[in-house]
Structures are given as C-alpha cells and as structure tokens.
Amino acid sequence: MSQLPEQPTEGPVPTSADVARLAGVSRATVSYVLNNNAAVRISDPTRRRVREAATELGYVPHAAARSLRAGHSRMVLLPTGNFPAAPLHHHFLHELEAGLRRLDYTVVQYGSLGLDAEDAARAWAELRPVAVIAPGSVPLTPQGIAVLRRSGAKAVFTLGPEPVAGAHALIMDQRQVGGCAVRHLMERGRRRIGVVMPEEPALALFAEPRLAGARQAASAGTARIEPLPLHHDEESAAALAARWRTLGLDAVFAYDDLHAMLLMRALQDAGIEVPGETAVVGADDLMLGRLLRPRLSSVRMELDTVQPLADLVDRLVRRPGKEPERHDLLRATAVHRESS
Amino acid sequence: MSQLPEQPTEGPVPTSADVARLAGVSRATVSYVLNNNAAVRISDPTRRRVREAATELGYVPHAAARSLRAGHSRMVLLPTGNFPAAPLHHHFLHELEAGLRRLDYTVVQYGSLGLDAEDAARAWAELRPVAVIAPGSVPLTPQGIAVLRRSGAKAVFTLGPEPVAGAHALIMDQRQVGGCAVRHLMERGRRRIGVVMPEEPALALFAEPRLAGARQAASAGTARIEPLPLHHDEESAAALAARWRTLGLDAVFAYDDLHAMLLMRALQDAGIEVPGETAVVGADDLMLGRLLRPRLSSVRMELDTVQPLADLVDRLVRRPGKEPERHDLLRATAVHRESS
C-alpha cells in the first residue's frame, strides 16, 4: 500500500434546494430544467442559470428520488450470468443499451450470483426496474416474473434459446445453428455425423437445442447423429480421438470453433485426416478458424439490428398489452472453408 | 411475432403498508424484518407472519426508498467498458461482486456508452452509489471523481494499469507482463526482441505499459526492443511477416496469445521457423496456445484473492480516510513451452 495525492474535500451532498437557492428559482424549476422536461416553458437565461448553479455546486439529480416522485422508474435491468458473454452477445447487449439510452432509459446490469431463480428475481425487484431483459444464462421462472411484475416491471423479456411462460421472448434459436451445420455436411456427402456436447453445465442451454436442430436436419435426409460428450480440455479430446475409428463417423459438428480447434488438433495428433476421413465444422466464425490448417468451416450467426428492439421494449413498457410477444433474432449461415 | 401463454394479471404494486395490514403489525416492524435489521428484537412468529404476508402479496422492499430513508445507499457501481472483459478480469469482477454481496452491498454494472468522462460520472452519480469501482477501460477523471464524491460516493476506485488522482487505485500493473516476457526471452539468449503493439485503440491502455515493461527489462541487459504495430487481421500479419527478415529480430513478445497465434501462423506461412529463427511468446496462457504447433510459450497472469478486496471496499466506505490507497493485484509468470 502506498499513498497518492489528496482526495477532494468532504462536504454535505448538495441538494436541488441548494441549486434553487443559488440560482434564485423554485425547486420545481430546478427539477424541470435538469430533467429536461420539455412540457414546461422556461426561458433560456433561467435554464442557463440553473445549469451553472448545478455545475458550481456539483449537483446531479437523484434517479431514485425522481422515480419515487414520478411513481415509476426509467430503469431497465439486464441481469448478467456467471460467465462472460460471447462477443456476439456482448456486442448486441451493448447496442441495446445504447438504443435504450437514446430513449432516455437508464440501463443497469445486475448479477444473479448463484441465487436461485426466485431470490434473484426478488433482488432485481428491489431496484424497481420498469423493464427486465434476462439472458438465457440467467434463471427466470414464471414465479420470478410474477414478483417482478407485482413490483412494477411493465415488461419482462427473456433473451435466449427458449421462451419462459409469462415473459416476452427475444429468441436466439440455437436449433438453427445445429441444423445449418448438419445440412452443410449432408450436402457434402457426409451421413454419419457426430455432434459435440460440451460438458460444462452453463453451455447445456445452447448445446441441447443445437443437437435437436442437428437431429431434425438429419432426419430430413438419411443421416445419423451421434452425440459426443466432451470436456473443454486436451485429455478429454485425446480420449475421444483415441476411440474415433470405433465410432464410424465421417463428420463432426463441434459445437463451436473453440471446441472444433480442440478436437481437430486431437484428431490430427491421432493420425485422422481432416477433412478426408472426418469433416469438421465449428460455429461462431471466429478469426482463429481461418488460422488453422485446414482452415475451419463454421456457422456464422447474426442478430437483428438493435434499434427496433429498443423501440419494442419502449412500446411494451408504455402499452404492456395482455399477451407475451415472441421475436426471433438469430440468423445462421454455413461458411465453407477447408475442413469440410 | 407469435403469442405465448397469458401474463399474470396486472394490479397495484403492493407496499409495506399492505404487508403490515395483512400481518397485523406496524410498518416499522415490516421494515425491520424484511431488511434483516438485527438490532431490533422481534419474535420468530411475528417474523414468520411478516414474511408470509410479503410472499402472499408479492411484496419486495424498495432499495431506493430504503436508501432515501437511511440517507445513504448500499449500491456499489461497477461501470463497464464497451468491449468484453478478458476472462481473467470477468472472473475477478464476478468474485468481487459475490464478496461485496456477502457484505450486504448491491452491486450493479452500468455502461459508459461512449459518454465523455464527466457526463459518464454524472450519469453514475444519479444512481447515488456509495462506492464506484471503475475498470481501466472506462474513462474517469479527477473532475468526474469529484462529482461522484459530491453526490455521496464514500469511495471511488480505479481498477487498471494506472492510478487516477483522487481515487483509490487497484493496480493491475501491465509492465510486469512485458518485463516477464522479455526476461524469459533474454534468459534463452535472445537479444533483438520485437514487441507487438495492437492498433485497436481500446488495447493501448494495456499495450503501452507492456512495452514500457519490456523496455525496462531489456535495458537491464543488452537487448534491443522494436515496437511492431499490428492490426488483428490476417492481412496485417502477412505484411509484417513479409518484411520480417529486414527487421533483424530473433524473438517477439506478441502482446497476447491471440496476437501470437495470428503472427506465428503468418511467420510460418512465410517460411520463418519458430522458434529456430524467431522465438514467440504470448500472454494470458489460454488453452489454445497448447493446441498450436509449436506449443506457445506465454505469460500467465494471476490476481489476488478477492474477499480481502471486498473487505477493503467496505472499510473505505465506512471510514473514508484522507489519502487514496494503492494496492497491486497482479502477478505475472512466464510459462515456457516450445515456441521460445
């Protein structure tokens, strides 16, 4: 531990009354000016005087006090899961946050931290959000949704592979990803297709629907699907590669590019030629796939543009409606390179 | 768009007065029970009755109303940057969040969203956090810190490579990473060492101190350091590899494992042997480095355990003190594999 320059001096927290006194206006006028209330006409010199007084005193409005007065909040809560969001997902959430901010919402993220679904919903409800957008990695039950709605949330959304009863559903349909990979392999003549199933519990939410999509695509042709449990470590991959020839497979959809990289290395180390003996397809279309030899085929995922979604959230906050809505966001396409 | 089962019926938001009425107790008693106030003795049957009434009505306490009454909040704000946190960082923040929750703080994350540093600080201040922990990727100025402190934040921390005047500093000293990589290369007889400088602006915060650490380590011996600007794409890597032999280098510290993977592939494609002609070291010690051939040497980074940090935050909230404190969190060690 060492010491740095001194901190600013402590003092009482300035209030809107202090700003009103310094600017020589009423507290209501301070509130109208600093909350950008356009419904009330206030002269430009007065607005300027209020803003200068606020700056001089270091006053900022109190979001919670404002929402208590207004009887509703402008807070949109994004619960976060316990593992980092995929880059695609992260970018999407960031854009959504910016879109909601343009509509004057305050977006905060809040961890679920291993709480069970209902305790988590109660913790979120304590913040009195006007809307909640819960990613699929975060548990949300119909009971939890009821708690949130009873505490004033006008709209509750889930964002993930499956809808939850009582919430609006922003669907990222992972079945498309598995279906897309398997159709790509079938078009290239493969019929005995392994599907990697990561053993990390947090990934089951994505892996199960990817497998279901793979099965559906295979049943439309004459292909066979073989689920292949795999830990994301070298030992597990080497063990799978060691028994590869007993499985009688001619292709594998490896869940994603990171698992594909792991398995392709293990197959190559075991003398199995890719793609001659076994074709490999990943998903996510990461740059690292293009750095592998053979270059990795993949499934590219794209999400809808975000501003219409921010507008949707705003519409459902202002006019909640009776029925949950469902919107599909994800589009998947196969990207052919050398490994398939 | 399609429709899902019906949502729970709308109704007025239940208040603590409703809970008090149903349980036949005072509002103060409801508050003591639901906020787990241990200073007030309340019988177990009464506690049970209050909890049951709250559950029946779907009531949860209102965090903002509670903090307005108490005159201070228990909210710790973690501003978030515009790009995903590295896995190490993400895990650390998650642990810190859990540690603060054990101390009864509410931890929320809030984006800075391309606001300038002072507008961002004002947006955070509107939430009236009692503490703010800002990662290095988020801009925070002495003026912003003053705004936060004036609005009631008892402690403001930065978490990153450099301290900011007026805030407590949780330092992840990136110079160690560069120093560690260069010492490793020098021990293996290398003297003409390139240091990859990613051209992505968001990474400059880490790249500059890594370069400074590399230079410092080199100047202790007789090695020369050559900064190598690089975009994270194949074209940029191929261009660097094409002029590699004109640079006269015998080693490269590639900023991190992802850049190392990119550059090593380009060097190999250009016929430059690794490690014979050029040794390569990454950083982050990702599993993918072990899947490359040759296996990638790397710098492993570890952070201090988190509960003492949560305790530190709590101590500085309760007894702010006059002087900012500084704590170093990062330890770096070289991991030798085949590429160096």
Side-chain angles (χ1 to χ4, degrees):
Chain A
M1 188 200 303
S2 67
Q3 291 184 343
L4 297 172
E6 209 169 323
Q7 294 185 317
T9 324
E10 294 278 337
V13 178
T15 66
S16 65
D18 298 327
V19 177
R21 204 171 304 119
L22 184 61
V25 300
S26 70
R27 280 186 68 178
T29 302
V30 170
S31 167
Y32 294 143
V33 172
L34 296 183
N35 296 319
N36 293 309
N37 188 328
V40 180
R41 281 186 54 180
I42 294 168
S43 73
D44 284 346
T46 303
R47 285 186 188 276
R48 202 176 317 121
R49 217 158 64 236
V50 170
R51 292 226 167 83
E52 284 170 2
T55 303
E56 186 176 332
L57 294 170
Y59 170 79
V60 290
H62 190 321
R66 184 168 58 204
S67 55
L68 281 174
R69 277 197 308 274
H72 58 82
S73 84
R74 300 288 292 175
M75 183 189 287
V76 176
L77 188 70
L78 293 181
T80 53
N82 297 349
F83 61 101
L88 175 77
H89 210 106
H90 185 276
H91 178 75
F92 173 83
L93 290 178
H94 177 65
E95 292 282 305
L96 182 58
E97 201 172 328
L100 287 166
R101 196 178 171 92
R102 279 193 287 273
L103 297 170
D104 201 29
Y105 290 95
T106 298
V107 181
V108 305
Q109 297 173 44
Y110 188 26
S112 54
L113 288 159
L115 294 176
D116 76 29
E118 284 173 54
D119 283 344
R122 267 190 290 274
W124 305 335
E126 289 199 10
L127 295 172
R128 294 293 190 275
V130 73
V132 175
I133 305 172
S137 57
V138 167
L140 191 60
T141 59
Q143 291 73 23
I145 293 166
V147 165
L148 287 166
R149 294 181 58 83
R150 291 289 288 168
S151 68
K154 299 294 181 196
V156 179
F157 298 82
T158 58
L159 177 69
E162 303 285 347
V164 175
H168 303 297
L170 307 176
I171 298 287
M172 297 182 174
D173 183 1
Q174 301 293 319
R175 283 172 307 188
Q176 283 189 53
V177 180
C180 192
V182 164
R183 276 190 301 277
H184 170 78
L185 291 167
M186 289 169 70
E187 281 162 15
R188 311 192 78 77
R190 311 288 169 148
R191 288 294 177 270
R192 304 183 309 280
I193 302 170
V195 173
V196 167
M197 301 293 290
E199 303 217 53
E200 287 68 27
L203 299 182
L205 187 75
F206 302 90
E208 290 291 344
R210 286 184 189 188
L211 176 62
R215 285 205 157 111
Q216 197 174 9
S219 71
T222 53
R224 157 169 89 79
I225 295 293
E226 176 80 27
L228 302 170
L230 180 68
H231 273 291
H232 197 252
D233 60 50
E234 289 173 278
E235 295 67 31
S236 184
L240 179 56
R243 64 190 182 89
W244 195 258
R245 286 193 170 118
T246 70
L247 295 167
L249 302 173
D250 59 12
V252 60
F253 166 51
Y255 176 73
D256 69 6
D257 288 355
L258 289 174
H259 286 80
M261 181 182 184
L262 174 69
L263 181 58
M264 198 157 86
R265 165 57 58 205
L267 291 175
Q268 289 173 323
D269 285 354
I272 291 155
E273 207 234 322
V274 177
E277 189 171 348
T278 296
V280 179
V281 175
D284 284 339
D285 192 24
L286 300 182
M287 191 182 68
L288 74 82
R290 299 198 297 275
L291 303 177
L292 303 179
R293 297 296 180 265
R295 290 175 179 82
L296 183 66
S297 298
S298 191
V299 176
R300 180 183 298 152
M301 287 171 264
E302 287 167 299
L303 294 172
D304 283 356
T305 52
V306 168
Q307 193 61 49
L309 266 187
D311 293 337
L312 171 74
V313 171
D314 182 51
R315 172 170 66 75
L316 290 169
V317 162
R318 287 187 291 108
R319 297 189 296 278
K322 274 270 168 282
E323 305 292 336
E325 295 190 4
R326 177 189 166 118
H327 297 262
D328 279 282
L329 307 185
L330 189 79
R331 289 177 308 284
T333 46
V335 180
H336 177 235
R337 293 204 185 92
E338 300 163 355
S339 68
S340 63
Chain B
M1 190 201 304
S2 65
Q3 291 183 343
L4 297 173
E6 209 169 323
Q7 294 184 316
T9 325
E10 292 279 337
V13 177
T15 66
S16 66
D18 299 325
V19 177
R21 205 171 304 119
L22 183 62
V25 300
S26 70
R27 281 186 69 179
T29 302
V30 171
S31 167
Y32 293 143
V33 171
L34 296 183
N35 296 319
N36 294 310
N37 187 329
V40 181
R41 279 185 56 179
I42 294 168
S43 73
D44 284 348
T46 302
R47 285 186 187 275
R48 203 176 314 122
R49 215 156 68 235
V50 169
R51 293 226 166 82
E52 284 169 3
T55 303
E56 185 176 333
L57 295 170
Y59 170 78
V60 289
H62 190 321
R66 185 169 57 203
S67 55
L68 281 174
R69 278 198 308 275
H72 58 82
S73 84
R74 299 288 290 176
M75 183 188 288
V76 176
L77 188 69
L78 294 181
T80 54
N82 297 348
F83 62 100
L88 175 76
H89 211 106
H90 185 276
H91 178 75
F92 173 82
L93 290 178
H94 177 64
E95 292 283 305
L96 182 58
E97 201 171 329
L100 286 166
R101 196 179 171 90
R102 279 192 286 274
L103 297 171
D104 199 31
Y105 290 95
T106 298
V107 181
V108 306
Q109 296 172 44
Y110 188 28
S112 56
L113 287 159
L115 295 175
D116 76 28
E118 283 173 56
D119 284 345
R122 266 190 290 275
W124 305 334
E126 290 200 8
L127 296 172
R128 294 291 190 276
V130 73
V132 175
I133 306 173
S137 57
V138 166
L140 191 60
T141 58
Q143 291 74 23
I145 293 166
V147 166
L148 288 166
R149 295 180 58 83
R150 291 290 289 169
S151 68
K154 299 293 181 197
V156 178
F157 299 81
T158 58
L159 177 68
E162 301 287 346
V164 175
H168 303 296
L170 307 175
I171 299 287
M172 297 182 175
D173 183 0
Q174 301 293 318
R175 284 171 305 188
Q176 282 190 53
V177 180
C180 193
V182 163
R183 275 190 301 276
H184 170 78
L185 290 167
M186 290 168 68
E187 281 162 15
R188 311 192 78 76
R190 311 288 169 149
R191 287 294 176 274
R192 305 183 307 279
I193 301 172
V195 173
V196 167
M197 299 295 288
E199 303 218 53
E200 288 67 28
L203 299 182
L205 188 73
F206 301 92
E208 290 292 345
R210 285 183 191 189
L211 175 62
R215 286 205 157 112
Q216 196 173 10
S219 71
T222 55
R224 158 169 89 79
I225 295 293
E226 176 80 29
L228 302 170
L230 180 68
H231 274 290
H232 196 252
D233 61 50
E234 289 173 280
E235 296 66 31
S236 184
L240 179 56
R243 63 188 182 91
W244 195 257
R245 285 191 173 123
T246 70
L247 295 167
L249 302 174
D250 59 12
V252 59
F253 166 51
Y255 176 73
D256 68 7
D257 287 354
L258 290 175
H259 286 80
M261 180 182 183
L262 174 69
L263 181 57
M264 198 158 84
R265 164 57 59 203
L267 291 175
Q268 288 173 323
D269 286 354
I272 289 153
E273 206 234 322
V274 177
E277 191 171 346
T278 296
V280 179
V281 175
D284 284 340
D285 192 24
L286 300 181
M287 192 183 68
L288 74 83
R290 300 198 298 272
L291 302 177
L292 304 180
R293 298 294 178 266
R295 290 175 178 82
L296 182 65
S297 298
S298 192
V299 176
R300 181 182 297 153
M301 286 170 265
E302 288 168 298
L303 294 172
D304 283 355
T305 53
V306 168
Q307 193 61 47
L309 267 187
D311 293 337
L312 171 74
V313 172
D314 182 52
R315 171 170 68 77
L316 290 169
V317 162
R318 288 187 289 108
R319 295 189 297 278
K322 275 268 168 280
E323 304 293 334
E325 295 190 3
R326 175 187 168 121
H327 296 263
D328 279 282
L329 307 185
L330 189 78
R331 288 177 307 283
T333 46
V335 180
H336 177 235
R337 294 204 184 90
E338 299 162 357
S339 68
S340 62

